[in-house]
Amino acid sequence: MKQQRKKSRGTWKKWLFPLVFTCIGALCGLLIARSIDRYLPDGLGPSQFLLFYGLLLLGLLLVLFLQTILHEAGHLVFGLATGYRFSSFRVASLMVIRLDGKLRLKRLSLAGTGGQCLLEPPELVDGKMPFVLYNLGGSILNLLSALVCLGLYGLTRSLSWLPLFFLMGALIGAVFALMNGIPLRLGAVDNDGYNAWAMSRNPQALEAFWVQMKVNALTAQGVRLKDMPADWFQVPDEAGMKNSMIAVQGVFACNRLVDAHRFPEARDLIRQVLAMDSAIVGVHRSLLRCDLLTCRLLLGASQEELAPMRTKEQEKFMKTMKNFPSVLRTEYIWALLAQGDKARAGQIKARFEAVGRTYPYPSDWAGEKELMALAEGKARQEELI
């Protein structure tokens, strides 16, 4: 009965967010449609009519792109203002990252995110540091831009095209602010408001946030997980694992064991972590399953033993994240050790090498390459037996 109630609450939360923002989207569409009637030129032919709506669609995409940039810029501005240091700034798959003291352009796609601004945090003082403005900075800038656009819409209503652009900017800016500022769990990831809320209630969550940001900054500086301080990678207790921010430390603990090639320990810990009643977000769960597949393959498990792990949900995730290094590494080792398909393994390795040329974290990529080399050595040994 308890499990049934929990499942019911999970289903309710799953559908609440899409329903609320579908309603908001419908309202925005209605307001824009009513405004279009006002500004649509008279006597348009079919081709001109299509051109008008095509330009309108381009304007909408441009507004979405600009609001995404503004959102991440809000994290950047408010983070730098409160003592953080620049690490990386990503919109869609394009990323500017500080590597070896220089800014470089790289590429990274992460399911469930339109962008991300990651900064190196200030040191903790008595377990505290500023976090609210950094986390809510994106929503603040979206909201401010919405107010500016609304004012400009009022000033330009007598013009023909420009008011539509400002109206879309106001509505979409407001939606971005609400979507990211109101504490919500958005499917695969938690939003900014939820993270800030979690840290305000729990000092352990704040410390976990600091560790996450510090790990990311050191990774950008070329430090491997296995070489970072061990006390950053302790698995939280059961209560801690139910907090999404703290639960990431459990994920990091598994990642570190894989990076150190401690495969039996990694296998057992990943199983333990995945079996917990925890708040680990969907992206991390699916990536842990990739790590578990890798560990078990390197430890000698067969395709028949591992096939049940490749569920429809996992297959869908791996297809969505097909160019992510740990997913490519898993697919490569699967092709080589589970299927014995050298041709497919070669194709995957070529794609892996291509991704490595623009991947923002060279130390991570090098770790994945080591795992693939271990699989190659294992495959050669099996051929000799």
Side-chain angles (χ1 to χ4, degrees), residues 86-88 95-106 216-222 357-363:
F86 181 82
S87 182
S88 66
M95 174 186 276
V96 176
I97 185 169
R98 185 184 295 278
L99 294 173
D100 302 322
K102 297 180 181 179
L103 297 182
R104 302 182 186 276
L105 184 64
K106 297 290 183 177
N216 177 80
L218 289 179
T219 301
Q221 294 167 25
R357 288 192 284 271
T358 57
Y359 187 66
Y361 301 108
S363 60

Side-chain angles (χ1 to χ4, degrees), residues 13-23:
K13 289 180 180 179
K14 176 182 177 181
W15 289 105
L16 176 63
F17 174 75
L19 179 62
V20 169
F21 285 99
T22 297
C23 293

Side-chain angles (χ1 to χ4, degrees), residues 81-151:
T82 51
Y84 292 70
R85 296 181 61 220
F86 181 82
S87 182
S88 66
F89 186 94
R90 177 173 63 85
V91 176
S93 62
L94 293 177
M95 174 186 276
V96 176
I97 185 169
R98 185 184 295 278
L99 294 173
D100 302 322
K102 297 180 181 179
L103 297 182
R104 302 182 186 276
L105 184 64
K106 297 290 183 177
R107 297 184 70 89
L108 176 68
S109 295
L110 188 60
T113 63
Q116 197 171 37
C117 174
L118 295 174
L119 306 179
E120 184 173 1
E123 294 302 316
L124 290 169
V125 179
D126 296 327
K128 297 179 180 179
M129 71 170 189
F131 65 90
V132 175
L133 285 178
Y134 168 73
N135 278 273
L136 298 184
S139 296
I140 292 170
L141 209 55
N142 285 138
L143 184 58
L144 290 175
S145 72
L147 294 173
V148 170
C149 285
L150 188 61

Side-chain angles (χ1 to χ4, degrees), residues 10-63:
T11 303
W12 180 79
K13 289 180 180 179
K14 176 182 177 181
W15 289 105
L16 176 63
F17 174 75
L19 179 62
V20 169
F21 285 99
T22 297
C23 293
I24 293 173
L27 177 61
C28 293
L30 178 62
L31 291 172
I32 292 172
R34 291 183 64 180
S35 298
I36 287 172
D37 289 338
R38 176 186 175 122
Y39 298 110
L40 184 66
D42 296 326
L44 291 182
S47 59
Q48 293 171 314
F49 186 83
L50 289 174
L51 177 62
F52 177 85
Y53 276 97
L55 292 173
L56 188 66
L57 178 60
L58 286 175
L60 177 62
L61 294 174
L62 177 61
V63 168

Side-chain angles (χ1 to χ4, degrees), residues 258 263 266-267 270 290-300:
V258 175
F263 302 122
R267 175 199 59 200
I270 293 171
C290 287
D291 287 348
L292 181 56
L293 275 169
T294 292
C295 290
R296 295 195 64 189
L297 283 165
L298 291 173
L299 291 170

Side-chain angles (χ1 to χ4, degrees), residues 111 149 236 256 284 299 306 371:
C149 285
R256 189 172 189 264
H284 288 160
L299 291 170
L306 300 180
L371 295 174

Side-chain angles (χ1 to χ4, degrees), residues 186-199:
L186 309 181
V189 294
D190 297 337
N191 74 353
D192 299 325
Y194 189 96
N195 288 336
W197 175 80
M199 286 184 279

